[in-house]
Amino acid sequence: MFSANYLSRAASIVGKDRLLFSTDFPYQYRPGNDARRFLNECGLEGEDLAAFAHGNWDRLTKNCGK
């Protein structure tokens, strides 16, 4: 589901601060670096891209396990 269109629609509905990116590596590994390519071409940049790629998860889990 590497779709910039779907990502844009989801962001407009729930907000960019509520999006998380993940893949099922290594269980769904596909040659061609699809996940990396999607991050590079998804339409997000700067802080929004960093938040989507890992920042939102970091923020969500920062007090877990303490």
Side-chain angles (χ1 to χ4, degrees), residues 19-63:
L19 297 174
L20 301 175
F21 179 73
S22 74
T23 64
D24 287 334
F25 177 82
Y27 308 107
Q28 295 281 332
Y29 177 73
R30 295 177 356 184
N33 297 318
D34 292 337
R36 174 61 59 190
R37 186 177 330 113
F38 177 67
L39 285 175
N40 290 335
E41 299 172 359
C42 71
L44 297 175
E45 297 179 349
E47 290 180 9
D48 290 335
L49 179 59
F52 178 55
H54 65 87
N56 291 337
W57 176 254
D58 293 343
R59 179 177 45 81
L60 183 67
T61 61
K62 73 178 180 179
N63 292 320

